[in-house]
Amino acid sequence: MNEQQRKDMSQIRQVNPEEATSDKNNLNRLKEKSSEDFMKYFETTYQPPNMRDAQRRKKKETDVHYDFTIPEDMDQSGKGKKYMIRTYGCQMNEHDTEVMAGIFEEMGYESTSDTKEADIILLNTCAIRENAENKVFGEIGHLKPLKMENPNLIIGVCGCMSQEESVVNRILKKHPFIDLIFGTHNIHRLPQLVKEAMFGKEMVIDVWSKEGDIIENLPRSRKGKIKAWVNIMYGCDKFCTYCIVPYTRGKERSRLPADIIQEVRHLAAQGYKEVTLLGQNVNAYGKDLDLEYGLGDLMDELRSIDIPRVRFTTSHPRDFDDRLIEVLSKGGNMLDHIHLPVQSGNTDVLKIMGRKYSREEYLELVKRIRKSMPDATLTTDIIVGFPNETEEQFQDTLSLVEEVGFEAAYTFIYSPRENTPAAKMKDNVSMEEKKDRLQRLNKLVNEQSAEAMKQYEGEIVHVLVEGESKNNEEVLAGYTKRNKLVNFRAPRSSIGQIVPVKITKAKTWSLDGEMVEASVEVK
Ligand code: SAH
Ligand code: SF4
Ligand code: F3S
């Protein structure tokens, strides 16, 4: 660790999840008569979402609600109207969009992908890196003329960016034509919020910087009929020093096993072929429940459900236990693909990132996984250019990528996020250097991916057929158990089925093949 890094380390304020919470900043709506009153209100009374409150963790118990209903006065209020939701960010956000779509449809709205046709447009935003936020502000700018043309159009901003104080302030000051801002804890209030936005004169703001509850019986309008997402937990308590998610998503809270199992059973009965269990840190599943029940136990129960594929994301190496490895190695609908974000291959950098494992511990875990699941495919996430990362430390990341043999990786340049501990660190690595490191890392990852793909040439794999390929409607596409994208010719009747495909050509990120009638040996 160099001197600057040691200094940064000593200044990281460890978050104490037990700290008292002050829930006083329940932001409700701003509804004033004139813009002068509004500015007065804004300066004196208005309380933005508060990152300090958002990092507090006090409540041990999570409130679970099973009583969601559309208020009577909003029931069918969307008849003859259309909604559009634009989604940014991770699967969690994609799935939240399915929930909001479900609520809109219960209110009688129909979906549209044409902004000109929409009566209400929501941007479901992501705050993970600066460029994610820039995209959203760009889109807000594009929507302004639409609002000018059609003042009855409701435009809303929701998702992770809404949980940030600076974002809410910027929208208030620079984009006052936005009608509605609400956060990740308030999705179930969508009907009431739409009503307030429709009938009120000022911007409606509903953002709670709180730990979060669980609302069980929300409707969902799922995007597909083949693959489905299932939340198993919400929030994150890891507080990696660079990351904004624990502030935008609240505390770690697990759904009860029975609720998850019932949802998966229901999906299986509807004919879904694959579920992906969702959480920011799924390996911590169950730790907040008084049940002695973890992700391994949950997966073991899901093994007996008649659904061909069960995936989960995202794993945190720290909480990945042997019970889970044991269950995954039983095969069946448990898949041998594990996405295991490492972030860096250097122990000192991992320490300053607050990841709570060392390079050696990560490699040891990989060894344990490989021992029980020799064919497992491992993929990862990596951040380059963390503040003061040295060339040697970056070399450790390259060597770890080689040593583990990752077959794919999402790679990012570190992006400072407001109010996180890392954002306060002085940084001596230039952007030019960071970009160069990203390029060198991507080159290695691409080589490894291509090499892994090559091994499939001539093999027969089982592909869950999802539909037409992106670039050619005569070609179908789907994924193997190990998450390899395959493009191949087959009758359209195979969509939604798992079919054997012989691989004819390997590319860097995908495989080409032909469907075969019967499989002999399948990879
Ligand atoms: N919960 C998951 C990650 C969610 S965010 C986990 O812990 O693995 C997805 C990825 O975005 C992270 O794995 C990390 O690689 C990247 N990321 C998060 N914050 C970032 C930041 N401030 N700058 C750059 N990349 C970041
Ligand atoms: Fe962010 Fe993932 Fe770390 Fe949680 S575990 S703080 S979501 S990187
Ligand atoms: Fe982005 Fe929020 Fe997901 S910040 S990555 S949408 S949890």
Side-chain angles (χ1 to χ4, degrees), residues 128-129 242 280 314 341 343 355 381 383 412-413 415 417:
I128 201 83
R129 284 169 289 276
Y242 51 82
Q280 287 301 344
T314 299
Q343 313 300 358
R355 290 292 287 183
D381 291 353
I383 297 176
F412 309 102
I413 290 179
S415 169
R417 306 317 295 134

Side-chain angles (χ1 to χ4, degrees), residues 128 236-240 242-246 280-281 316 343 355:
I128 201 83
C236 182
D237 286 346
K238 280 278 181 276
F239 288 100
C240 302
Y242 51 82
C243 183
I244 198 155
V245 172
Q280 287 301 344
N281 174 13
H316 191 293
Q343 313 300 358
R355 290 292 287 183

